[in-house]
Amino acid sequence: MKKILVKGGKKLNGEVNISSAKNAVLPIIAASILCKEICVIEKAPMLEDVFVICDVLKSINSNITIEEDEILINNSNLINGEPDSELVRKMRASFLIMGPMISRFGRFKISLPGGCNIGTRPIDLHLKGFSALGAEINLGHGYVEAFTNKLVGNKIYLDFPSVGATENIMMAAVLAEGETILENAAGEPEIQDLANFLNSMGAKISGAGTDTIKIVGVKELKGIRYKPIPDRIEAGTFMAAAAITRGKIKINRVNEEHLKPIIAKLTEIGISMEKRGDSIIVDGNSEFRPVDIKTMPYPGFPTDMQAQMMSLLCTVPGTSVITETIFENRFMHAGELKRMGGNIKIDGRCAVIEGVDIFTGCEVKATDLRAGAALIIAALAAEGCTKIGDIYHIDRGYVNIEEKLKKLGADIERVDIEE
């Protein structure tokens, strides 16, 4: 059983390079289905989720080659078959292939998706969008099937600005006849990146990043080379790690615009931030203040940084409050942080955090991807050794996280431990 061992108490110091965003790369890989020519994704993060979605495409005859940090995708011989259900159930993002598959073939069947257990994430908004574009939907026995003679543009209003639904509907509408207006759309940077990728291929998408996206259907798309945006959540995770160890690090390959809500809260806590080109220097050697955080759709504070901030706030004197508005079951890491000495009280969707003097190393488990990152952050500041289990969650979203932290001075390693 592989675990991550951390001996805490060392200040982080040095430089770290941020990988491309997993949440940008996954929909871009799905969008390649819309094109019969070769697409090459540069600087791709070599992560378990990326390998899973590539395997999903391979199961319907996509020809994919991965060399170092490039993914070459040839979908010229793609078939309209049912993708491997075991692979689809591994990861929720597998469902992102449905929009492009309906658009390309007019019919598609897929098993219902899986992913982290952080709350209900229904696909009804995706299906509502497909229906509005002219697809007939059948649900049953763990599968969803859609079929249509042709997709036709329409005006679609999302009841909630869902990132996945926005991406899936946008991809379905790219080759649809006429114009689609998607209202109350999500505005995350990863959606803007997907639109940039599709537009580079020949799509006509405007308004991505706002709450209203306009898509004018085109006949076909061409193959391209494309480099996705850097991962804002990985950058935020390293910012929190620098702060909790009271260290000073330079984080390279970041987009400050995408990090505004994270930077604002860290600055409010008292952490110094200095921008230099596409780098940010984070200095945690200062007096910290408690803050209140409320997760919101972009450009609000990202739910994917909530767990990491909880770890940091456990070491900040005073009372901080985190309100989670996106997922109803995303405080599972709180119990693990309490095992390490955190003083956290959960009341529904609110977590009240009283700062403590020190975390104490112990045995904990990553309950999901970001919870795993939060436990690593807490372990960096803890007294003694922390053993983190179920680290497959962490591998879904962070490229070589222990190697990157080692270069910053952390005492961290991945080991095999017999149960």
Side-chain angles (χ1 to χ4, degrees):
M1 179 73 69
K2 287 194 179 296
K3 296 191 177 186
I4 289 177
L5 264 59
V6 184
K7 293 177 182 174
K10 294 183 180 294
K11 289 187 177 185
L12 297 189
N13 185 56
E15 296 187 29
V16 63
N17 297 321
I18 297 303
S19 303
S20 293
K22 178 198 80 160
N23 289 338
V25 172
L26 298 180
I28 284 171
I29 291 172
S32 72
I33 289 169
L34 295 163
C35 173
K36 295 178 182 179
E37 297 178 7
I38 292 171
C39 292
V40 179
I41 302 169
E42 303 173 351
K43 295 283 184 187
M46 295 296 109
L47 294 165
E48 183 61 27
D49 278 10
V50 173
F51 299 141
V52 168
I53 200 164
C54 285
D55 286 342
V56 169
L57 263 65
K58 286 177 184 178
S59 74
I60 49 175
N61 213 39
S62 176
N63 187 337
I64 297 178
T65 305
I66 299 176
E67 293 182 359
E68 293 184 2
D69 61 355
E70 282 197 351
I71 302 175
L72 188 148
I73 307 172
N74 184 345
N75 286 322
S76 58
N77 295 316
L78 205 67
I79 58 171
N80 187 18
E82 189 180 305
D84 186 299
S85 60
E86 287 300 314
L87 291 169
V88 170
R89 281 196 284 268
K90 275 187 176 182
M91 183 180 67
R92 181 176 173 77
S94 302
F95 196 70
L96 289 173
I97 72 171
M98 189 163 194
M101 286 296 287
I102 299 168
S103 185
R104 178 161 168 176
F105 292 103
R107 189 183 191 100
F108 188 56
K109 182 180 181 181
I110 187 172
S111 62
L112 294 173
C116 280
N117 297 316
I118 56 175
T120 56
R121 296 190 282 180
I123 58 169
D124 56 331
L125 294 179
H126 301 242
L127 303 183
K128 174 184 174 181
F130 300 151
S131 295
L133 294 172
E136 190 172 329
I137 307 292
N138 286 334
L139 264 171
H141 306 293
Y143 287 84
V144 58
E145 187 174 17
F147 48 93
T148 180
N149 290 326
K150 68 174 178 179
L151 295 178
V152 179
N154 201 347
K155 195 170 189 177
I156 302 166
Y157 180 86
L158 295 180
D159 298 323
F160 176 82
S162 159
V163 173
T166 299
E167 292 168 340
N168 227 340
I169 295 165
M170 190 163 70
M171 289 187 283
V174 162
L175 299 180
E177 184 180 285
E179 180 179 279
T180 298
I181 304 291
L182 185 55
E183 296 181 319
N184 198 31
E188 272 72 0
E190 294 79 15
I191 288 169
Q192 298 173 50
D193 206 36
L194 175 60
N196 289 339
F197 175 71
L198 290 166
N199 284 339
S200 299
M201 296 167 77
K204 293 183 178 177
I205 302 169
S206 57
T210 73
D211 62 0
T212 303
I213 300 175
K214 178 180 173 182
I215 306 118
V216 178
V218 297
K219 295 292 185 186
E220 61 181 7
L221 300 177
K222 66 179 188 296
I224 59 164
R225 295 183 71 91
Y226 192 80
K227 183 166 73 174
I229 57 173
D231 193 323
R232 62 196 170 102
I233 304 303
E234 185 190 20
T237 299
F238 277 97
M239 288 176 175
I244 202 168
T245 64
R246 297 347 187 223
K248 183 176 182 179
I249 67 172
K250 184 181 181 186
I251 303 175
N252 301 320
R253 195 174 175 243
V254 295
N255 186 320
E256 185 190 19
E257 190 68 26
H258 299 166
L259 289 162
K260 273 187 174 179
I262 300 170
I263 290 171
K265 278 299 166 186
L266 290 172
T267 302
E268 191 179 334
I269 289 170
I271 295 144
S272 169
M273 302 276 183
E274 181 187 345
K275 186 178 184 302
R276 289 187 188 173
D278 66 350
S279 300
I280 293 177
I281 296 172
V282 183
D283 189 348
N285 188 22
S286 60
E287 294 294 320
F288 288 177
R289 301 177 292 274
V291 298
D292 292 346
I293 293 172
K294 185 176 185 179
T295 64
M296 296 287 285
Y298 190 84
F301 193 89
T303 181
D304 279 352
M305 274 299 299
Q306 178 257 106
Q308 301 91 307
M309 291 297 286
M310 185 180 288
S311 292
L312 173 59
L313 291 173
C314 281
T315 70
V316 175
T319 305
S320 298
V321 178
I322 297 177
T323 305
E324 173 60 58
T325 74
I326 309 297
F327 296 120
E328 74 280 5
N329 193 27
R330 206 167 196 181
F331 284 143
M332 290 188 291
H333 49 277
E336 300 300 293
L337 291 174
K338 286 166 78 172
R339 286 168 60 85
M340 298 178 70
N343 186 349
I344 307 160
K345 292 182 176 66
I346 305 297
D347 182 10
R349 291 199 175 209
C350 284
V352 180
I353 303 139
E354 295 286 346
V356 297
D357 292 332
I358 192 78
F359 276 125
T360 303
C362 65
E363 191 137 357
V364 291
K365 286 186 177 180
T367 53
D368 61 70
L369 166 56
R370 305 306 174 184
L375 293 175
I376 289 177
I377 288 170
L380 292 171
E383 197 174 72
C385 181
T386 303
K387 297 177 185 177
I388 303 169
D390 290 353
I391 61 174
Y392 61 89
H393 286 299
I394 299 168
D395 293 337
R396 290 185 50 234
Y398 291 92
V399 179
N400 299 327
I401 188 166
E402 67 268 25
E403 294 304 317
K404 289 183 177 182
L405 286 167
K406 264 186 192 177
K407 289 179 180 176
L408 295 171
D411 189 340
I412 180 171
E413 61 180 332
R414 183 177 297 234
V415 297
D416 271 315
I417 296 179
E418 289 187 14
E419 291 296 302

